[in-house]
Amino acid sequence: MSSLEITPESDDEWEQVIRRHLAAGERAHVTFERPSMTPAEMADSIGVSRATIQRRILAGEIRSERRGNRHRIPLHEVERFRHAYVREMATDLAADF
């Protein structure tokens, strides 16, 4: 069993790899997924606590997808929130000066 990750930046070699495996009598299983982060991964990337991210998800400030009983945050949402959070922090700090 082998694995192949294909991204939008991938060149066309993946098609040849798949054809070679199929010609050898193997089966292929294709799964599409949206890149995402867990709340803990997002918290680490932004520099806040996981609890802060959880509170923001529950308040509706961060959109997430549920997988079972777990939240996954799409990368585009991580970036959207990161920019909003930086602006929020800048505004709060500006009031102190």
Side-chain angles (χ1 to χ4, degrees):
M1 177 180 223
S2 61
S3 177
L4 175 66
E5 182 173 336
I6 304 168
T7 64
E9 296 80 29
S10 298
D11 55 19
D12 290 334
E13 289 182 29
W14 59 267
E15 186 176 355
Q16 295 168 1
V17 171
I18 292 171
R19 288 184 187 282
R20 189 171 58 247
H21 283 276
L22 292 174
E26 297 180 44
R27 294 186 316 177
H29 176 82
V30 178
T31 303
F32 293 94
E33 66 180 20
R34 180 174 294 141
S36 62
M37 291 183 161
T38 65
E41 290 168 337
M42 182 177 177
D44 287 344
S45 77
I46 295 176
V48 299
S49 71
R50 185 191 57 75
T52 296
I53 299 300
Q54 286 295 123
R55 277 194 304 276
R56 300 279 184 123
I57 289 171
L58 293 175
E61 297 173 34
I62 298 173
R63 289 173 289 234
S64 68
E65 299 169 350
R66 299 280 298 205
R67 294 193 188 152
N69 64 347
R70 305 283 186 216
H71 290 277
R72 297 292 296 189
I73 302 109
L75 289 185
H76 66 85
E77 179 64 9
V78 172
E79 290 308 312
R80 184 204 63 79
F81 181 78
R82 182 188 321 270
H83 292 299
Y85 185 72
V86 167
R87 282 192 305 272
E88 180 183 318
M89 291 295 104
T91 301
D92 289 348
L93 288 174
D96 290 340
F97 289 101

